[in-house]
Amino acid sequence: MAIAEPSVAQVRVIGVRFRRAGRLYYYDPAGSDMSVGDYVIVMTSRGLMAARVVMAATEVNAADVRGELKPIERTASDIDLTSMTNYIDKETEAEQAFATAITSRGLPMQPVKAEYSFDGATLTLYFSSKEARIDTADLVTELATNYKTRVELRQIGPRERAAMRTGLGRCGREFCCATFLSELDTVSLRMATDQNLPLNPDKISGACGRLLCCLQYEHDGYVEAKLEAEPVSYTHLRAHETLRYRGFRGKRGKKKRGGGGGGGG
């Protein structure tokens, strides 16, 4: 008698992102029919935000949904999209003002990026710093007064900084974390060792100063290849190296015959 497999609860969701390579978030489509590339207005911990649909409505396991599945508020209107575009254009100016305010106060922090919500209700300023705690109360008050909106400061680490600022990696392509790598997984020195890479920080570190994220791409393949490869004994390896060395010496050390050298006859 066949044993019936337990049914897995399914929920209907859409997948959205708030940034180009940001984390994927699930929301309840609430009966709306949306396509990839559309914008929706959703509720977040920071209030209403505009997000881009990157996964059309589909069924997923309920266990894959983190926390409460919130419904979308609405599909973004033309007015919402125009407002979002206008505030994106103002982010560079806000970032420059943020940098100036930091410099004038001599605070140990570096500005990274300024982000407005689609309606301008919130201005989020990202910064990096080696200090764990910085008194920014006066800075927030000044910026909120100047921009007449709610201002939030968020400290981020080196990897997040690289993802937001982007740039070109040693491969000549734009940073993975800024284009498609939405989840920043743990990268260990063991990954470099397993791939026989030199343990030189300049060779295996990215622009963020941390280990290259791409070390994880081929790591599993190297591990599997090593397990399947035939073991080579130390004696055989030394003998092979000796033969190569002798062959090299033989070619370089061969003397020419006749016609050489001066000499009295």
Side-chain angles (χ1 to χ4, degrees), residues 9-149:
Q10 300 281 310
V11 292
R12 191 169 181 78
V13 302
I14 61 169
V16 304
R17 284 197 172 107
F18 297 98
R19 296 195 190 94
R20 178 184 177 187
R23 180 180 296 176
L24 179 69
Y25 290 90
Y26 289 142
Y27 278 87
D28 181 354
S32 300
D33 185 18
M34 286 156 293
S35 303
V36 172
D38 291 344
Y39 280 86
V40 293
I41 307 301
V42 297
M43 180 60 71
T44 71
S45 59
R46 295 189 293 162
L48 290 176
M49 302 290 288
R52 184 172 181 269
V53 178
V54 296
M55 187 181 76
T58 186
E59 301 283 338
V60 300
N61 294 338
D64 294 335
V65 179
R66 301 174 182 175
E68 177 186 0
L69 183 64
K70 298 179 181 179
I72 65 168
E73 296 295 322
R74 65 179 188 275
T75 302
S77 64
D78 291 340
I79 295 177
D80 293 329
L81 295 177
T82 299
S83 175
M84 179 178 67
T85 301
N86 291 337
Y87 279 107
I88 288 176
D89 292 339
K90 296 179 180 180
E91 289 177 350
T92 301
E93 178 188 346
E95 185 179 326
Q96 292 173 349
F98 182 37
T100 300
I102 289 174
T103 303
S104 64
R105 285 174 168 75
L107 296 173
M109 50 197 292
Q110 297 78 42
V112 177
K113 188 175 178 61
E115 280 187 353
Y116 272 107
S117 58
F118 76 99
D119 55 0
T122 304
L123 172 59
T124 305
L125 300 169
Y126 297 90
F127 71 94
S128 61
S129 177
K130 296 180 180 179
E131 303 292 334
R133 297 179 64 87
I134 303 174
D135 184 6
T136 59
D138 292 341
L139 177 60
V140 171
T141 300
E142 178 189 337
L143 293 172
T145 301
N146 293 342
Y147 285 94
K148 296 179 174 58
T149 190

Side-chain angles (χ1 to χ4, degrees), residues 114-207:
E115 280 187 353
Y116 272 107
S117 58
F118 76 99
D119 55 0
T122 304
L123 172 59
T124 305
L125 300 169
Y126 297 90
F127 71 94
S128 61
S129 177
K130 296 180 180 179
E131 303 292 334
R133 297 179 64 87
I134 303 174
D135 184 6
T136 59
D138 292 341
L139 177 60
V140 171
T141 300
E142 178 189 337
L143 293 172
T145 301
N146 293 342
Y147 285 94
K148 296 179 174 58
T149 190
R150 178 185 176 189
V151 174
E152 292 184 359
L153 263 61
R154 289 179 177 266
Q155 185 172 358
I156 58 176
R159 288 189 184 276
E160 292 79 9
R161 175 188 172 94
M164 285 188 174
R165 299 295 293 183
T166 194
L168 297 179
R170 60 178 65 249
C171 60
R173 303 184 65 178
E174 193 174 356
F175 293 161
C176 298
C177 56
T179 52
F180 67 89
L181 196 62
S182 57
E183 297 286 344
L184 300 178
D185 296 330
T186 301
V187 182
S188 66
L189 197 61
R190 178 62 183 271
M191 292 181 178
T193 303
D194 290 339
Q195 297 174 61
N196 298 324
L197 295 174
L199 302 183
N200 182 341
D202 294 335
K203 300 292 185 180
I204 58 176
S205 298

Side-chain angles (χ1 to χ4, degrees), residues 179-251:
T179 52
F180 67 89
L181 196 62
S182 57
E183 297 286 344
L184 300 178
D185 296 330
T186 301
V187 182
S188 66
L189 197 61
R190 178 62 183 271
M191 292 181 178
T193 303
D194 290 339
Q195 297 174 61
N196 298 324
L197 295 174
L199 302 183
N200 182 341
D202 294 335
K203 300 292 185 180
I204 58 176
S205 298
C208 61
R210 300 294 190 267
L211 290 173
L212 290 165
C213 290
C214 54
L215 290 176
Q216 61 185 304
Y217 298 165
E218 299 179 355
H219 177 248
D220 291 343
Y222 274 89
V223 172
E224 292 175 4
K226 285 186 176 182
L227 292 175
E228 295 174 358
E230 295 182 3
V232 179
S233 66
Y234 179 77
T235 303
H236 175 74
L237 183 62
R238 293 296 298 173
H240 178 66
E241 290 180 351
T242 301
L243 288 174
R244 288 177 56 193
Y245 178 71
R246 286 178 176 173
F248 179 75
R249 285 286 300 273
K251 292 179 181 179

